[in-house]
Amino acid sequence: MMHEREFRAFVSIAETGRMDVAARQLGYSQPAITYQIQCLERSLGFKLFTRHPSGARLTGDGHMILPSVRAVLMLIDSIRDPRGGHTGEHEAEAEAGEAPAGTAVPMVRQRTA
């Protein structure tokens, strides 16, 4: 099974080229990051990085899946915060007692006395 934290570790290492830097950015120890990548590699069945004294480089398979992993993380983030962290105009309209644009509002007739 693959986990979000493994995907985030993968992307962070891919972007920084270093496991120690990725670990610091994500608030993990370096052994924890290494373990997350090993788990992800085991789940996928292939290596994601080649390790060098100067850091880590994506393998061909790692390059191939990077865009998909980024897309998955974007989806996860959008599910957590569908409005992108902004107070939208729909909220402002709702506070003002107005229906959001594009919302079907039933017509109600008022009785006249």
Side-chain angles (χ1 to χ4, degrees), residues 4 10 17 19 26 28 30-34 42 46 48 50-51 56 65 69 72 76 87 106:
E4 176 187 354
F10 169 67
M19 289 193 175
L26 296 172
Y28 294 120
Q30 187 169 344
I33 288 285
T34 300
R42 202 169 21 257
F46 50 83
L48 297 170
T50 55
R51 280 80 169 178
I65 71 161
V69 173
V72 166
I76 290 170
T87 300

PDB file of all heavy atoms in Angstrom, residues 4 10 17 19 26 28 30-34 42 46 48 50-51 56 65 69 72 76 87 106:
ATOM      1  N   GLU A   4       0.425   8.770   1.435  1.00  0.00           N
ATOM      2  CA  GLU A   4       0.691  10.164   1.079  1.00  0.00           C
ATOM      3  C   GLU A   4       2.077  10.611   1.534  1.00  0.00           C
ATOM      4  O   GLU A   4       2.794  11.276   0.790  1.00  0.00           O
ATOM      5  CB  GLU A   4      -0.373  11.060   1.715  1.00  0.00           C
ATOM      6  CG  GLU A   4      -0.131  12.529   1.494  1.00  0.00           C
ATOM      7  CD  GLU A   4      -1.085  13.407   2.276  1.00  0.00           C
ATOM      8  OE1 GLU A   4      -2.022  12.907   2.922  1.00  0.00           O
ATOM      9  OE2 GLU A   4      -0.866  14.642   2.237  1.00  0.00           O
ATOM     10  N   PHE A  10       8.959  11.342  -1.741  1.00  0.00           N
ATOM     11  CA  PHE A  10       9.454  11.122  -3.094  1.00  0.00           C
ATOM     12  C   PHE A  10       9.602  12.439  -3.855  1.00  0.00           C
ATOM     13  O   PHE A  10      10.654  12.731  -4.435  1.00  0.00           O
ATOM     14  CB  PHE A  10       8.517  10.165  -3.838  1.00  0.00           C
ATOM     15  CG  PHE A  10       8.773  10.067  -5.313  1.00  0.00           C
ATOM     16  CD1 PHE A  10       9.941   9.504  -5.797  1.00  0.00           C
ATOM     17  CD2 PHE A  10       7.846  10.551  -6.227  1.00  0.00           C
ATOM     18  CE1 PHE A  10      10.188   9.418  -7.165  1.00  0.00           C
ATOM     19  CE2 PHE A  10       8.073  10.465  -7.586  1.00  0.00           C
ATOM     20  CZ  PHE A  10       9.251   9.905  -8.053  1.00  0.00           C
ATOM     21  N   GLY A  17      17.042  16.752  -4.556  1.00  0.00           N
ATOM     22  CA  GLY A  17      18.176  15.901  -4.885  1.00  0.00           C
ATOM     23  C   GLY A  17      18.908  15.376  -3.663  1.00  0.00           C
ATOM     24  O   GLY A  17      19.967  14.763  -3.796  1.00  0.00           O
ATOM     25  N   MET A  19      18.268  13.519   0.342  1.00  0.00           N
ATOM     26  CA  MET A  19      17.370  12.957   1.344  1.00  0.00           C
ATOM     27  C   MET A  19      17.420  13.746   2.650  1.00  0.00           C
ATOM     28  O   MET A  19      16.385  13.922   3.293  1.00  0.00           O
ATOM     29  CB  MET A  19      17.691  11.494   1.589  1.00  0.00           C
ATOM     30  CG  MET A  19      17.302  10.614   0.433  1.00  0.00           C
ATOM     31  SD  MET A  19      17.343   8.892   0.896  1.00  0.00           S
ATOM     32  CE  MET A  19      16.718   8.169  -0.592  1.00  0.00           C
ATOM     33  N   LEU A  26      10.363  18.211   5.499  1.00  0.00           N
ATOM     34  CA  LEU A  26       9.131  17.510   5.876  1.00  0.00           C
ATOM     35  C   LEU A  26       9.024  17.248   7.373  1.00  0.00           C
ATOM     36  O   LEU A  26       8.000  16.741   7.840  1.00  0.00           O
ATOM     37  CB  LEU A  26       9.032  16.194   5.101  1.00  0.00           C
ATOM     38  CG  LEU A  26       8.916  16.346   3.584  1.00  0.00           C
ATOM     39  CD1 LEU A  26       9.024  14.992   2.905  1.00  0.00           C
ATOM     40  CD2 LEU A  26       7.613  17.036   3.211  1.00  0.00           C
ATOM     41  N   TYR A  28      11.007  15.164   9.182  1.00  0.00           N
ATOM     42  CA  TYR A  28      11.327  13.776   9.500  1.00  0.00           C
ATOM     43  C   TYR A  28      12.825  13.632   9.718  1.00  0.00           C
ATOM     44  O   TYR A  28      13.609  14.488   9.319  1.00  0.00           O
ATOM     45  CB  TYR A  28      10.929  12.835   8.352  1.00  0.00           C
ATOM     46  CG  TYR A  28       9.451  12.738   8.087  1.00  0.00           C
ATOM     47  CD1 TYR A  28       8.932  13.089   6.846  1.00  0.00           C
ATOM     48  CD2 TYR A  28       8.579  12.279   9.059  1.00  0.00           C
ATOM     49  CE1 TYR A  28       7.569  12.990   6.588  1.00  0.00           C
ATOM     50  CE2 TYR A  28       7.220  12.176   8.805  1.00  0.00           C
ATOM     51  CZ  TYR A  28       6.719  12.535   7.567  1.00  0.00           C
ATOM     52  OH  TYR A  28       5.382  12.437   7.322  1.00  0.00           O
ATOM     53  N   GLN A  30      16.310  11.581   8.701  1.00  0.00           N
ATOM     54  CA  GLN A  30      16.760  11.001   7.434  1.00  0.00           C
ATOM     55  C   GLN A  30      16.448   9.505   7.357  1.00  0.00           C
ATOM     56  O   GLN A  30      15.995   9.036   6.309  1.00  0.00           O
ATOM     57  CB  GLN A  30      18.244  11.264   7.196  1.00  0.00           C
ATOM     58  CG  GLN A  30      18.669  10.811   5.808  1.00  0.00           C
ATOM     59  CD  GLN A  30      20.057  11.281   5.434  1.00  0.00           C
ATOM     60  OE1 GLN A  30      20.614  12.176   6.064  1.00  0.00           O
ATOM     61  NE2 GLN A  30      20.616  10.677   4.404  1.00  0.00           N
ATOM     62  N   PRO A  31      16.635   8.723   8.445  1.00  0.00           N
ATOM     63  CA  PRO A  31      16.258   7.306   8.360  1.00  0.00           C
ATOM     64  C   PRO A  31      14.766   7.108   8.061  1.00  0.00           C
ATOM     65  O   PRO A  31      14.398   6.175   7.349  1.00  0.00           O
ATOM     66  CB  PRO A  31      16.628   6.752   9.738  1.00  0.00           C
ATOM     67  CG  PRO A  31      17.726   7.644  10.224  1.00  0.00           C
ATOM     68  CD  PRO A  31      17.367   9.012   9.689  1.00  0.00           C
ATOM     69  N   ALA A  32      13.922   8.005   8.564  1.00  0.00           N
ATOM     70  CA  ALA A  32      12.482   7.887   8.290  1.00  0.00           C
ATOM     71  C   ALA A  32      12.192   8.110   6.805  1.00  0.00           C
ATOM     72  O   ALA A  32      11.389   7.393   6.206  1.00  0.00           O
ATOM     73  CB  ALA A  32      11.698   8.873   9.136  1.00  0.00           C
ATOM     74  N   ILE A  33      12.861   9.101   6.209  1.00  0.00           N
ATOM     75  CA  ILE A  33      12.689   9.369   4.773  1.00  0.00           C
ATOM     76  C   ILE A  33      13.180   8.176   3.959  1.00  0.00           C
ATOM     77  O   ILE A  33      12.532   7.748   3.006  1.00  0.00           O
ATOM     78  CB  ILE A  33      13.439  10.653   4.360  1.00  0.00           C
ATOM     79  CG1 ILE A  33      12.720  11.873   4.913  1.00  0.00           C
ATOM     80  CG2 ILE A  33      13.608  10.764   2.855  1.00  0.00           C
ATOM     81  CD1 ILE A  33      11.453  12.252   4.209  1.00  0.00           C
ATOM     82  N   THR A  34      14.326   7.644   4.332  1.00  0.00           N
ATOM     83  CA  THR A  34      14.874   6.479   3.634  1.00  0.00           C
ATOM     84  C   THR A  34      13.891   5.320   3.712  1.00  0.00           C
ATOM     85  O   THR A  34      13.625   4.647   2.705  1.00  0.00           O
ATOM     86  CB  THR A  34      16.233   6.077   4.249  1.00  0.00           C
ATOM     87  OG1 THR A  34      17.135   7.182   4.111  1.00  0.00           O
ATOM     88  CG2 THR A  34      16.823   4.853   3.565  1.00  0.00           C
ATOM     89  N   ARG A  42       9.206  -0.711  -2.699  1.00  0.00           N
ATOM     90  CA  ARG A  42       8.723  -2.094  -2.538  1.00  0.00           C
ATOM     91  C   ARG A  42       7.296  -2.223  -3.074  1.00  0.00           C
ATOM     92  O   ARG A  42       6.959  -3.173  -3.774  1.00  0.00           O
ATOM     93  CB  ARG A  42       8.793  -2.476  -1.061  1.00  0.00           C
ATOM     94  CG  ARG A  42       8.845  -3.944  -0.792  1.00  0.00           C
ATOM     95  CD  ARG A  42       9.170  -4.359   0.636  1.00  0.00           C
ATOM     96  NE  ARG A  42       8.961  -3.406   1.708  1.00  0.00           N
ATOM     97  CZ  ARG A  42       9.924  -2.709   2.303  1.00  0.00           C
ATOM     98  NH1 ARG A  42      11.183  -2.836   1.930  1.00  0.00           N
ATOM     99  NH2 ARG A  42       9.643  -1.871   3.278  1.00  0.00           N
ATOM    100  N   PHE A  46       9.957  -1.209  -8.174  1.00  0.00           N
ATOM    101  CA  PHE A  46      11.141  -0.702  -8.864  1.00  0.00           C
ATOM    102  C   PHE A  46      11.787   0.414  -8.050  1.00  0.00           C
ATOM    103  O   PHE A  46      11.166   1.018  -7.184  1.00  0.00           O
ATOM    104  CB  PHE A  46      10.822  -0.217 -10.290  1.00  0.00           C
ATOM    105  CG  PHE A  46       9.661   0.735 -10.401  1.00  0.00           C
ATOM    106  CD1 PHE A  46       9.818   2.096 -10.156  1.00  0.00           C
ATOM    107  CD2 PHE A  46       8.409   0.272 -10.778  1.00  0.00           C
ATOM    108  CE1 PHE A  46       8.762   2.972 -10.278  1.00  0.00           C
ATOM    109  CE2 PHE A  46       7.333   1.152 -10.900  1.00  0.00           C
ATOM    110  CZ  PHE A  46       7.509   2.496 -10.649  1.00  0.00           C
ATOM    111  N   LEU A  48      13.391   4.057  -7.322  1.00  0.00           N
ATOM    112  CA  LEU A  48      13.036   5.420  -7.697  1.00  0.00           C
ATOM    113  C   LEU A  48      14.250   6.329  -7.809  1.00  0.00           C
ATOM    114  O   LEU A  48      14.229   7.300  -8.565  1.00  0.00           O
ATOM    115  CB  LEU A  48      12.059   6.003  -6.668  1.00  0.00           C
ATOM    116  CG  LEU A  48      10.726   5.282  -6.580  1.00  0.00           C
ATOM    117  CD1 LEU A  48       9.934   5.768  -5.374  1.00  0.00           C
ATOM    118  CD2 LEU A  48       9.938   5.476  -7.863  1.00  0.00           C
ATOM    119  N   THR A  50      18.772   6.621  -7.585  1.00  0.00           N
ATOM    120  CA  THR A  50      20.116   6.070  -7.402  1.00  0.00           C
ATOM    121  C   THR A  50      20.770   6.975  -6.379  1.00  0.00           C
ATOM    122  O   THR A  50      20.656   8.207  -6.454  1.00  0.00           O
ATOM    123  CB  THR A  50      20.926   6.051  -8.723  1.00  0.00           C
ATOM    124  OG1 THR A  50      20.951   7.367  -9.274  1.00  0.00           O
ATOM    125  CG2 THR A  50      20.317   5.087  -9.733  1.00  0.00           C
ATOM    126  N   ARG A  51      21.412   6.365  -5.394  1.00  0.00           N
ATOM    127  CA  ARG A  51      22.045   7.141  -4.329  1.00  0.00           C
ATOM    128  C   ARG A  51      23.506   7.384  -4.652  1.00  0.00           C
ATOM    129  O   ARG A  51      24.201   6.480  -5.120  1.00  0.00           O
ATOM    130  CB  ARG A  51      21.934   6.400  -2.988  1.00  0.00           C
ATOM    131  CG  ARG A  51      20.593   6.544  -2.296  1.00  0.00           C
ATOM    132  CD  ARG A  51      19.575   5.627  -2.870  1.00  0.00           C
ATOM    133  NE  ARG A  51      18.351   5.577  -2.047  1.00  0.00           N
ATOM    134  CZ  ARG A  51      17.316   4.869  -2.385  1.00  0.00           C
ATOM    135  NH1 ARG A  51      17.309   4.152  -3.488  1.00  0.00           N
ATOM    136  NH2 ARG A  51      16.256   4.867  -1.622  1.00  0.00           N
ATOM    137  N   ALA A  56      20.761  12.141  -4.241  1.00  0.00           N
ATOM    138  CA  ALA A  56      19.949  11.102  -4.876  1.00  0.00           C
ATOM    139  C   ALA A  56      19.436  11.620  -6.208  1.00  0.00           C
ATOM    140  O   ALA A  56      19.021  12.773  -6.315  1.00  0.00           O
ATOM    141  CB  ALA A  56      18.782  10.726  -3.971  1.00  0.00           C
ATOM    142  N   ILE A  65       7.183   8.416 -13.167  1.00  0.00           N
ATOM    143  CA  ILE A  65       6.031   8.522 -12.275  1.00  0.00           C
ATOM    144  C   ILE A  65       5.919   9.876 -11.569  1.00  0.00           C
ATOM    145  O   ILE A  65       4.877  10.182 -10.995  1.00  0.00           O
ATOM    146  CB  ILE A  65       5.995   7.386 -11.234  1.00  0.00           C
ATOM    147  CG1 ILE A  65       7.096   7.534 -10.188  1.00  0.00           C
ATOM    148  CG2 ILE A  65       6.009   6.022 -11.903  1.00  0.00           C
ATOM    149  CD1 ILE A  65       6.842   6.735  -8.929  1.00  0.00           C
ATOM    150  N   VAL A  69       2.644  11.352  -9.509  1.00  0.00           N
ATOM    151  CA  VAL A  69       2.670  11.518  -8.052  1.00  0.00           C
ATOM    152  C   VAL A  69       2.331  12.956  -7.695  1.00  0.00           C
ATOM    153  O   VAL A  69       1.564  13.208  -6.764  1.00  0.00           O
ATOM    154  CB  VAL A  69       4.027  11.078  -7.469  1.00  0.00           C
ATOM    155  CG1 VAL A  69       4.119  11.417  -5.984  1.00  0.00           C
ATOM    156  CG2 VAL A  69       4.242   9.583  -7.679  1.00  0.00           C
ATOM    157  N   VAL A  72      -1.396  13.317  -8.005  1.00  0.00           N
ATOM    158  CA  VAL A  72      -2.089  12.697  -6.875  1.00  0.00           C
ATOM    159  C   VAL A  72      -2.047  13.622  -5.664  1.00  0.00           C
ATOM    160  O   VAL A  72      -3.064  13.832  -4.988  1.00  0.00           O
ATOM    161  CB  VAL A  72      -1.478  11.314  -6.529  1.00  0.00           C
ATOM    162  CG1 VAL A  72      -1.950  10.808  -5.179  1.00  0.00           C
ATOM    163  CG2 VAL A  72      -1.797  10.308  -7.624  1.00  0.00           C
ATOM    164  N   ILE A  76      -5.122  15.305  -3.571  1.00  0.00           N
ATOM    165  CA  ILE A  76      -5.267  15.179  -2.117  1.00  0.00           C
ATOM    166  C   ILE A  76      -5.416  16.563  -1.498  1.00  0.00           C
ATOM    167  O   ILE A  76      -6.303  16.787  -0.662  1.00  0.00           O
ATOM    168  CB  ILE A  76      -4.075  14.416  -1.508  1.00  0.00           C
ATOM    169  CG1 ILE A  76      -4.134  12.941  -1.907  1.00  0.00           C
ATOM    170  CG2 ILE A  76      -4.051  14.566   0.012  1.00  0.00           C
ATOM    171  CD1 ILE A  76      -2.883  12.148  -1.570  1.00  0.00           C
ATOM    172  N   THR A  87     -11.131  32.617   0.943  1.00  0.00           N
ATOM    173  CA  THR A  87     -12.540  32.866   1.182  1.00  0.00           C
ATOM    174  C   THR A  87     -13.113  33.267  -0.157  1.00  0.00           C
ATOM    175  O   THR A  87     -12.724  34.283  -0.725  1.00  0.00           O
ATOM    176  CB  THR A  87     -12.728  33.999   2.210  1.00  0.00           C
ATOM    177  OG1 THR A  87     -12.097  33.593   3.421  1.00  0.00           O
ATOM    178  CG2 THR A  87     -14.194  34.260   2.461  1.00  0.00           C
ATOM    179  N   PRO A 106     -35.190  28.535  -6.150  1.00  0.00           N
ATOM    180  CA  PRO A 106     -36.595  28.439  -6.496  1.00  0.00           C
ATOM    181  C   PRO A 106     -37.299  29.788  -6.345  1.00  0.00           C
ATOM    182  O   PRO A 106     -36.962  30.559  -5.456  1.00  0.00           O
ATOM    183  CB  PRO A 106     -37.149  27.417  -5.491  1.00  0.00           C
ATOM    184  CG  PRO A 106     -36.158  27.396  -4.371  1.00  0.00           C
ATOM    185  CD  PRO A 106     -34.844  27.821  -4.958  1.00  0.00           C
TER     186      PRO A 106
END
